Amino acid sequence: MALIILDSCINCDMCEPECPNQAITMGEEIYEIDPDRCTECVGHYDKATCVSVCPIDCIDPDPEHQEDEATLMAKYLILTGKA
């Protein structure tokens, strides 16, 4: 499942540089996560680094983009050119 940044985001700039897939960008008001690029760090790390560094816990699973571990790994392989 891709992740989503909630409206409570304070734009602290902690998450964007930590994303290995460049899935996080600044939106009109808060940072946003591109669900097509988000693998929840599968293939890179044991857990999502954006969630780990967020000081206010405003990153949650995106209910509109539910994906299992195999799907996230396939996305990782495509994004990294290993597929």
Side-chain angles (χ1 to χ4, degrees):
M1 163 179 314
L3 300 172
I4 188 169
I5 297 176
L6 305 175
D7 290 340
S8 57
C9 174
I10 59 171
N11 297 324
C12 69
D13 301 318
M14 295 294 293
C15 60
E16 187 270 334
E18 295 297 324
C19 181
N21 297 316
Q22 293 84 41
I24 302 174
T25 56
M26 186 62 178
E28 287 188 34
E29 295 184 25
I30 62 171
Y31 279 94
E32 298 176 351
I33 298 177
D34 179 350
D36 293 331
R37 297 194 66 81
C38 179
T39 65
E40 291 186 49
C41 291
V42 167
H44 293 283
Y45 306 111
D46 291 335
K47 58 183 180 177
T49 57
C50 61
V51 173
S52 298
V53 300
C54 181
I56 62 165
D57 298 323
C58 71
I59 303 173
D60 284 341
D62 185 348
E64 293 185 23
H65 296 96
Q66 295 185 11
E67 300 164 304
D68 61 17
E69 183 100 9
T71 303
L72 293 170
M73 179 56 80
K75 191 189 308 185
Y76 159 78
L77 293 172
I78 291 168
L79 290 170
T80 60
K82 296 179 182 178

